């Protein structure tokens, strides 16, 4: 059992930066992969970024590549998502997800919601002027 709690969302202006956090508890030692997804109103949940253990390989969606960074704190199993040069289309509920499996990156599976069996409740990011 793993619990995930996101924080750091809020209202920001276009071009601003924001860092989201995902705190973990429970059987965190079993986590092999963590990812961020987002869902805008009326749209499907979409992949944002992923990081795995122990190599810390990362992968990003094309929509955020070059202006986002996923990172982790190994001691606390906290995962962060830094978003820069934010756009109105980045507005969404951002959720973190975890899998007990170390997922190989570079394929579609690591970008799919079905790869992850633990989810947080999400944190709202609103980008508006």
């Amino acid at each position: 059992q793993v619990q995930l709690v996101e924080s750091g969302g809020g209202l920001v202006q276009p071009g601003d930066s924001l860092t989201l956090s995902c705190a973990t508890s429970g059987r965190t030692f079993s986590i092999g992969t963590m990812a961020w997804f987002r869902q805008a109103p009326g749209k499907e949940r979409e992949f944002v970024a992923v990081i795995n253990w122990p190599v810390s390989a990362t992968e990003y969606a094309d929509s955020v590549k070059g202006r986002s960074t996923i990172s982790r704190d190994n001691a606390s199993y906290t995962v962060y998502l830094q978003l820069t040069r934010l756009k109105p289309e980045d507005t969404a509920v951002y959720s973190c997800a975890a899998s007990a499996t170390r997922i190989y990156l570079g394929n579609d599976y690591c970008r799919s919601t079905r790869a992850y069996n633990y989810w947080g409740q999400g944190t709202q990011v609103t980008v508006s002027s």
Side-chain angles (χ1 to χ4, degrees):
Q1 182 67 35
V2 174
Q3 294 81 43
L4 309 176
V5 180
E6 304 95 336
S7 62
L11 175 63
V12 296
Q13 299 181 20
D16 281 358
S17 298
L18 197 65
T19 299
L20 307 180
S21 300
C22 179
T24 64
S25 61
R27 305 186 71 171
T28 56
F29 61 87
S30 68
I31 296 174
T33 313
M34 292 189 67
W36 286 93
F37 290 79
R38 67 185 184 185
Q39 187 170 26
K43 297 184 178 180
E44 296 182 351
R45 182 174 291 175
E46 65 175 351
F47 167 81
V48 178
V50 60
I51 186 169
N52 66 7
W53 272 255
V55 181
S56 297
T58 59
E59 191 169 295
Y60 300 90
D62 289 341
S63 58
V64 300
K65 189 177 299 181
R67 56 187 189 92
S68 65
T69 302
I70 186 170
S71 61
R72 74 184 189 209
D73 180 272
N74 292 328
S76 65
Y77 269 83
T78 300
V79 172
Y80 305 93
L81 180 68
Q82 182 185 15
L83 302 168
T84 63
R85 305 194 307 278
L86 285 162
K87 308 173 182 178
E89 51 262 45
D90 293 320
T91 296
V93 174
Y94 285 72
S95 301
C96 64
S99 172
T101 302
R102 179 173 62 86
I103 302 172
Y104 285 102
L105 307 188
N107 55 63
D108 291 339
Y109 182 70
C110 72
R111 298 168 175 248
S112 174
T113 58
R114 70 178 185 271
Y116 305 93
N117 47 358
Y118 302 106
W119 292 84
Q121 292 297 308
T123 183
Q124 176 71 47
V125 174
T126 302
V127 185
S128 177
S129 60

